[in-house]
């Protein structure tokens, strides 16, 4: 067993875990944070995508021990006081989900894209979501939703979607600078 | 699926990592970003007794210049390689190829060193390392040694690294004024390369003065398209490039799998070499 | 309801037809989900299955005792250990009287018949311990020959999948209508014969399967939570398989993450979980991993189609003859044998002809069983006819659209009874096609194609046409009887008017992404005249929605939604009686509009339906003899299938040097009758297109010569991502169905059914100048390149001689 300390959606957890425990199983089975689902065993589907230290990762392909000392944001940590982020709103308004199983991962991957590229083209959105599979929507409305969320977060509110779930702590941008949300 | 149980250590220093690896011998696996190792563990295709997590060893991450050589820490993630201004300036081929690896989330965790040490012939970066004439620096109980990329990839998933050696940095000669192109051929965006061609071209006097070509997935190791490189020297027009590219598959041993036959791979190597070289000649 | 609210509702023109945002989304986008694997109860034990690594073998010995020594292991069972507790898994569709139905134990006992056939189950305290313990189980297998080739499997001396049955032939199912094909062939100018192969597909619902069983051992009651499309059918079948009385079983389908037919099944793991929970008196959970599911969850398609058409030189179809070999896999599961039969009626599609002959042979192989996958029989049929119609056009030098136009049923001919005996209630193929051609810019693309061909461009352009119809909305019960299906095709709905004026709709459909909660709310709100927000829809739990036939075959709206409509009408009828009584008026003198009953001519005399609901709740003043409730139910048995149709056009660029293909544009105009929610319809079309295109270009379950699944993980089986699919242009025409009160037609499968031939036709069209007449699916770059190479690159096409 290995001791870990992980902040998940703003709460600090201290646990003893088997080194082989996958981060996604830690979230689901130990912390009861079942909003992040598992869709495959080869890191292809992206359903389990969460944010670790400010970057999207596939939580089925990260050991819990690797997240020690880190900060994890899941889909359950995005909404603030019941207010959805622009991406969550856009997914709803553009009918970007059907069964909803891929949705947490899609939203987390899209959030990652918009942080790096606040004004993507539809082609860039499609490319950025290459690691997230959906079997229901044919992706068209997902692309529309991400573009709509980008539209909504232009100008001074750019990055709002990313900021919404980051808590008060700093996060790392692509260039490695510390910024405070 | 569920990984098998293993012991785990997370050394704080390079020295400690090397010592642990030396003690554990063949039974240990090095964990960097984990993007190759964890899927193997989950499918129970690997059963290490010990996993040595080198991910937090200081000093192995980031890019710096050493004279006219680019030094990329082995733990530098794909994401950081893609966005690094030095890499983009002096080794654009590496940035371009790295951007095609897997998907963004995997690129956030996966590392350059991990990809090279894993030495999957379908991986994009080994062929790029060959084309760039990279030197791979390993540290072991006997100290540091530098292995040219051409001698690093020994066989399928096998490298020149000893079990107690750790890849610590990748040294890439800076190249300014070279055109480059990584042509990756795959069936879906996140899948492995069926064939990939990494081309570097230096032009002079309206001709190709020198070309360096690395091939992905054309054998159990990444390969140089030596015959094509030689034939390309002096090529002045697209016709000459096409003729030279015709020898791109010489000396290769492409495999047969569910996605392609050896004949098709050889054909692709020729077509993609022509395209990569023409594109590279245009970007110089 | 205030006057203002009534006015607003009227102005909005009702709920039906509005792009209402989904009620389902809030939980799904915030992670407050209830997938089966999320369920955790005190004392929960975890199951893991040991599966055969071989395609075919005799089980000489299974020893689970070493697994019991492993930490955390509570129990382990072989197939023999549980044989008393488990009957065979059911097949509900014996398509012929003499169909061969092999025994299918949920855990193999004597023999394994496909890679992944389960041989033992471990019960442990957590999922990690269960996975570890599998490695300790000892099994001795005596290998038996695999059976993989459909034609070879039918040979006299072929090795047998089920030796006790003496044959690999599961059944022969014929259909013949009109003249003999031999007779029309005599007078035909053109006869074309083609073989098409429908590769095996893996459905890949994003949520892997999972099951949780919680027992109340003392009273013998069990609750089964399962990621299933069919809680009601599952309840009946598990009762039979496990011998638990039906009234003691509750089946819940919690949030279910897609199905596409793969969760229209009664799986061995569900039965084993129930049997183990019963034996141990402990709650158990099993969750499939993706690569495990590739072996254990049923596959789709898997057919060889020999297709012949006879036509005049003007391009008029005279006859069609289809001979199918259908890969059943190792066992006949819930509706395995019926899948090709669902296609049997659809090969004639939208075309008129004088002769139709069809014969299907079901063949056992040592592969994962096949069963329903999105479209189930109809995509295969549509592919075959739409591919060969393009071949006919090429043969005669006609435009592929023109060939279709010369043969299709004209809009004034509806209702039209097809040669296969189906009565298409309505449709307008001309309108859909004209609209699609205009949106697509057909003529300009043809001009570009010619230009590229003349220039000898390495990148060619191809245009694919697919004009489809399909039969869905399963199904009239009497037709199912005639097809020897073991159940009916009705659907149930009931509506509860609550005392506060709110509404609960109870449906027998079991949604897993389709948006029933939203659409059923729209339907009920319109009929009842209540706000959309005031309607709640409950489903997917046999305790709260006890009657149902569940969700598959694009049936939910046209059968289940129609049942909601009928039930709501009954509620209004009851409310009318109470309102008339309260208003001291005759029922005939009442108007009902926007949720308000008013007396004709004196609009101030009025009662809202909510007021009537409360009055009925108190029952202080209801009509004498009237049952004091507005609640009503309706079980609707559809009078006919539903026949959506449409025209799909696809432009593909083909790089003839590498074989790489790229969809340049995709236009479809579908006619799904009257639309309840256009946003949801569009989403269904998008998703359907993605899966149909995936069959054309990417996906295939590949087996090696030993019967191992080579495409055994998501890294090898290529499910396309957003980066691999194009933007779609979708539009609709609207020809209402006449067979249900909503005028709606099914939409869930249409995109999948139509798109596959559109894509392949486009690829072949691009390569026709090289002499290419077919590319096998999936049209991988290598296959495309091979086709160009084999046809003799650059040489003009050789016309294939008519046979």
């Amino acid at each position: 067993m290995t001791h870990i300390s992980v902040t998940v959606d703003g709460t600090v957890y201290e646990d003893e875990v088997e080194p082989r425990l996958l981060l996604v199983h830690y979230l689901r089975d130990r912390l009861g944070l079942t909003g992040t689902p598992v869709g495959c065993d080869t890191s292809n589907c992206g359903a389990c995508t969460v944010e670790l230290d400010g970057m999207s990762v596939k939580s089925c392909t990260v050991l819990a021990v690797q997240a020690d000392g880190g900060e994890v944001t899941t889909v359950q940590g995005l909404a603030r006081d019941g207010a959805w982020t622009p991406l969550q709103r856009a997914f709803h308004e553009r009918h970007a989900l059907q069964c909803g199983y891929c949705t947490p991962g899609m939203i987390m991957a899209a959030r990652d894209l918009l942080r790096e590229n606040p004004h993507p083209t539809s082609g860039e959105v499609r490319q950025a979501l290459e690691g997230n599979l959906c079997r229901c929507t044919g992706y068209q409305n997902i692309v529309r939703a991400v573009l709509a969320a980008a539209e909504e977060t232009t100008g001074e509110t750019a990055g709002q979607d990313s900021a919404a779930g980051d808590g008060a702590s700093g996060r790392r941008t692509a260039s490695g600078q510390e910024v405070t949300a | 699926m569920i990984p098998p149980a293993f012991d785990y250590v997370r050394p704080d220093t390079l020295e400690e990592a090397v010592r642990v690896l030396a003690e554990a011998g063949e039974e240990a696996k090095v964990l960097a970003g984990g993007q190759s190792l964890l899927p193997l563990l989950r499918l129970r295709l690997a059963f290490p007794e010990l996993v040595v997590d080198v991910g937090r060893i200081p000093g192995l991450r980031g890019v710096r210049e050493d004279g006219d050589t680019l030094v990329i820490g082995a733990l530098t993630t794909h994401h950081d390689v893609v966005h690094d201004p030095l890499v983009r300036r002096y080794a654009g081929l590496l940035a371009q190829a790295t951007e095609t690896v897997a998907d963004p989330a995997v690129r956030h965790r996966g590392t350059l060193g991990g990809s090279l040490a894993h030495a999957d012939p379908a991986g994009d970066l080994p062929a790029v390392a060959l084309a760039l004439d990279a030197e791979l620096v390993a540290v072991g109980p006997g100290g540091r040694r530098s292995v040219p990329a051409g001698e690093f990839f020994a066989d399928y998933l096998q490298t020149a690294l000893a079990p107690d050696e750790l890849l610590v940095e990748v040294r890439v000669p800076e190249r300014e004024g070279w055109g480059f192109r990584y042509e990756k051929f795959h069936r879906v965006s996140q899948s492995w390369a069926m064939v990939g061609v990494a081309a570097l071209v230096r032009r002079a006097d309206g001709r190709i003065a020198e070309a360096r070509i690395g091939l992905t997935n054309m054998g159990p190791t990444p390969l140089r398209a030596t015959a094509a490189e030689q034939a390309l020297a002096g090529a002045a027009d697209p016709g000459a490039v096409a003729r030279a590219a015709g020898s791109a598959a010489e000396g290769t041993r492409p495999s047969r799998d569910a996605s392609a036959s050896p004949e098709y791979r050889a054909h692709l190597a020729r077509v993609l070499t022509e395209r990569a070289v023409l594109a590279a000649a245009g970007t110089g | 309801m205030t006057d203002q609210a009534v006015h607003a509702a009227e102005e909005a023109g009702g709920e039906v037809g509005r792009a209402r945002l989904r009620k389902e989304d809030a939980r799904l986008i915030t992670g407050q989900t209830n997938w089966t694997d999320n369920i955790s109860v005190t004392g929960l034990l975890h199951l893991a299955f040991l599966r055969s690594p071989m395609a075919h073998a005799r089980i000489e010995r299974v020893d689970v005792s070493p697994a019991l020594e492993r930490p955390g292991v509570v129990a382990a069972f072989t197939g023999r250990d549980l044989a008393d507790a488990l009957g065979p898994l059911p097949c509900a569709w014996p398509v012929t009287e003499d169909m061969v139905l092999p025994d299918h134990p949920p855990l193999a006992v004597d023999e394994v018949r496909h890679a992944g056939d389960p041989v033992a189950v471990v019960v442990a305290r957590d999922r990690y311990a269960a996975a570890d313990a599998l490695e300790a189980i000892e099994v001795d297998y005596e290998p038996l020959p695999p059976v993989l080739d459909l034609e070879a499997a039918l040979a006299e001396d072929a090795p047998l999948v089920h030796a006790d049955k003496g044959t690999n032939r599961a059944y022969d199912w014929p259909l013949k209508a009109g003249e003999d094909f031999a007779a029309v062939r005599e007078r035909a100018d053109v006869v074309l014969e083609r073989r098409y192969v429908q590769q095996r597909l893996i459905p890949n619902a994003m949520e892997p399967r999972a099951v949780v069983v919680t027992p109340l051992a003392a009273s013998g009651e069990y609750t089964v939570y399962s990621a299933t499309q069919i809680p009601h059918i599952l309840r009946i079948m598990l009762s039979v398989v496990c011998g638990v009385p039906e009234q003691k079983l509750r089946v819940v389908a919690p949030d279910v993450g897609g199905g596409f037919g793969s969760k229209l099944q009664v799986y061995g793991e569900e039965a084993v979980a129930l049997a183990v929970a019963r034996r141990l008196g402990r709650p158990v959970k099993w969750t499939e991993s993706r690569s495990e599911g590739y072996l254990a969850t049923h596959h789709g398609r898997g057919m060889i189609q020999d297709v012949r058409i006879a036509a005049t030189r003007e391009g008029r179809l005279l006859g069609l003859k289809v001979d199918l070999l259908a890969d059943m896999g190792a066992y006949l599961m819930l509706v395995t044998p019926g899948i090709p039969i669902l296609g049997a009626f659809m090969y004639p599609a939208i075309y008129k002809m004088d002769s139709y002959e069809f014969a299907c042979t079901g063949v056992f192989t040592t592969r994962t069983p096949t069963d329903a996958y999105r479209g189930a029989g109809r995509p295969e049929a549509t592919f075959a006819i739409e591919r060969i119609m393009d071949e006919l056009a090429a043969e005669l030098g006609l435009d592929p659209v023109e060939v279709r136009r010369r043969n299709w049923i004209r809009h004034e001919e509806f209702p039209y009874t097809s040669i296969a005996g189906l009565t298409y209630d309505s449709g307008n193929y001309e309108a859909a096609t004209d609209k699609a051609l205009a949106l697509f810019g057909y003529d300009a693309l043809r001009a570009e194609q010619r230009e590229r061909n003349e220039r000898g461009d390495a990148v060619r352009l191809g245009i694919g046409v697919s004009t489809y119809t399909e039969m869905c909305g399963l199904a009239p019960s009497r037709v199912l009887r005639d097809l020897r299906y073991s159940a009916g095709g009705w659907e149930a709905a009931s509506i509860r008017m609550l005392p506060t004026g709110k509404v609960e709709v109870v449906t027998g459909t079991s949604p897993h992404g389709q948006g029933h909660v939203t659409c059923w709310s729209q339907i009920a709100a319109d009929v009842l005249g209540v706000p959309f927000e005031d309607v709640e829809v409950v489903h997917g739990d046999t305790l709260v929605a006890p009657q149902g036939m569940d969700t598959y075959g694009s049936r939910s709206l046209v059968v289940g939604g129609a049942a909601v409509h009928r039930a709501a009408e009954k509620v209004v009828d009851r409310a009318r009686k109470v309102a008339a009584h309260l208003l001291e008026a005759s029922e005939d003198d009442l108007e009902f509009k926007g949720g308000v009953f008013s007396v004709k001519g004196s609009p101030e005399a009025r009662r809202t339906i909510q007021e009537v609901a409360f009055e009925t709740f108190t029952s202080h003043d209801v009509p004498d003899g009237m049952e004091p409730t507005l609640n009503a139910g309706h079980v609707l048995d559809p009078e006919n299938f539903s026949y959506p149709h449409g025209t799909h056009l696809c432009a593909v660029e083909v790089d003839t040097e590498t074989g790489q293909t790229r969809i340049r544009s995709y236009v479809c105009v579908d006619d799904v009758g009257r639309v309840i929610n256009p946003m949801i319809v569009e989403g269904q079309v998008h998703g359907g297109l993605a899966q149909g295109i995936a069959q054309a270009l990417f996906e295939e379950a590949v087996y090696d010569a030993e019967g191992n699944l080579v495409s055994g993980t998501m890294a090898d089986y290529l499910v396309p991502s957003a980066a691999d699919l194009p933007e779609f242009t979708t539009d609709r025409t609207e020809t209402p169905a006449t067979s249900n009160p909503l005028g709606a037609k099914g939409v869930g499968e249409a995109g999948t059914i139509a798109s596959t031939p559109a894509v392949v036709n486009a690829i072949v069209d691009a390569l026709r100048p090289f002499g290419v007449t077919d590319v096998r699916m999936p049209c991988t770059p290598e296959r495309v390149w091979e086709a160009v190479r084999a046809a003799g690159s650059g040489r003009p096409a050789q016309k294939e001689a008519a046979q």
Side-chain angles (χ1 to χ4, degrees), chain B residues 44 187 189 261 264 267 275, chain C residues 132 655 657-658 724 782:
Chain B
R44 299 208 172 201
R187 286 184 56 203
S189 182
S261 66
Y264 182 54
H267 170 76
R275 292 181 182 183
Chain C
D132 290 347
D655 181 338
E657 290 178 356
T658 62
D724 307 304
E782 180 165 20

Side-chain angles (χ1 to χ4, degrees), chain B residues 20-41:
Chain B
V20 168
L21 284 172
E23 283 167 12
E26 303 275 352
E27 308 307 327
K29 279 270 180 199
V30 175
L31 174 71
Q35 302 303 289
S36 298
L37 181 59
L38 276 171
L40 290 179
L41 293 173

Side-chain angles (χ1 to χ4, degrees), chain B residues 1-5 42-45 47 184-192 194 256-268 270-272 274-275, chain C residues 127-128 131-132 135 289-292 458-459 655-660 697-699 702 710 713 715 718-721 723-724 778-782 785-786 789:
Chain B
M1 281 170 84
I2 314 282
R42 294 187 70 194
L43 295 173
R44 299 208 172 201
L45 297 172
F47 293 85
K184 179 172 184 170
F185 195 86
H186 48 176
R187 286 184 56 203
V188 296
S189 182
Q190 65 165 314
S191 65
W192 296 87
M194 196 183 286
R256 176 184 301 281
D257 59 28
S259 69
S261 66
E263 300 74 35
Y264 182 54
R265 283 203 161 92
H267 170 76
L268 283 179
R270 293 187 284 266
V271 174
L272 299 178
E274 179 186 346
R275 292 181 182 183
Chain C
R127 51 175 117 221
Y128 282 56
D132 290 347
E135 283 170 4
S289 78
R290 178 63 58 183
S291 38
E292 180 182 26
V459 179
D655 181 338
T656 57
E657 290 178 356
T658 62
Q660 190 74 284
L697 297 180
F698 303 116
E699 299 183 14
V702 180
V710 177
T713 74
L718 304 181
V719 175
S721 76
D724 307 304
C779 300
T780 63
E782 180 165 20
W785 174 72
E786 274 292 354
R789 198 165 73 144

Side-chain angles (χ1 to χ4, degrees), chain C residues 4 29 95 130 142 221 275 309 379 432 451 572 602 610 633 695 765:
Chain C
Q4 219 176 351
I29 59 177
V95 291
E142 176 63 32
E221 294 171 60
I309 52 171
E451 187 274 321
V572 174
S602 31
Q610 290 89 346
Q695 174 172 14
D765 185 56

Side-chain angles (χ1 to χ4, degrees), chain B residues 2-92:
Chain B
I2 314 282
F6 48 77
D7 289 330
Y8 172 83
V9 288
R10 194 167 68 204
D12 293 324
T13 64
L14 192 53
E15 295 67 35
E16 189 188 346
V18 168
R19 185 175 52 75
V20 168
L21 284 172
E23 283 167 12
E26 303 275 352
E27 308 307 327
K29 279 270 180 199
V30 175
L31 174 71
Q35 302 303 289
S36 298
L37 181 59
L38 276 171
L40 290 179
L41 293 173
R42 294 187 70 194
L43 295 173
R44 299 208 172 201
L45 297 172
F47 293 85
E49 282 180 12
L50 177 69
V51 166
V52 182
D53 181 353
V54 300
R56 303 194 185 195
I57 295 176
L60 299 186
R61 188 165 178 167
V63 183
R64 63 185 169 85
E65 281 185 279
D66 179 5
D68 54 4
T69 299
L70 212 55
V71 182
I72 308 171
L75 289 180
T76 310
T77 63
H78 300 314
H79 175 268
D80 287 353
V81 166
V82 169
H83 293 277
D84 187 90
L86 289 172
V87 173
R88 296 182 81 89
R89 177 160 178 199
Y90 296 115

Side-chain angles (χ1 to χ4, degrees), chain C residues 82-92 101-107 109 236-243 266-268 271 331-334:
Chain C
L82 293 178
D84 296 347
L86 290 168
L89 293 174
C91 173
L101 179 58
D103 186 39
H104 186 186
L107 270 185
V109 178
I236 300 164
M237 292 301 186
L238 284 180
S239 167
V240 173
V241 172
C242 298
V266 177
Y267 280 107
Y331 305 100
L332 301 183
M333 297 193 70
L334 191 61

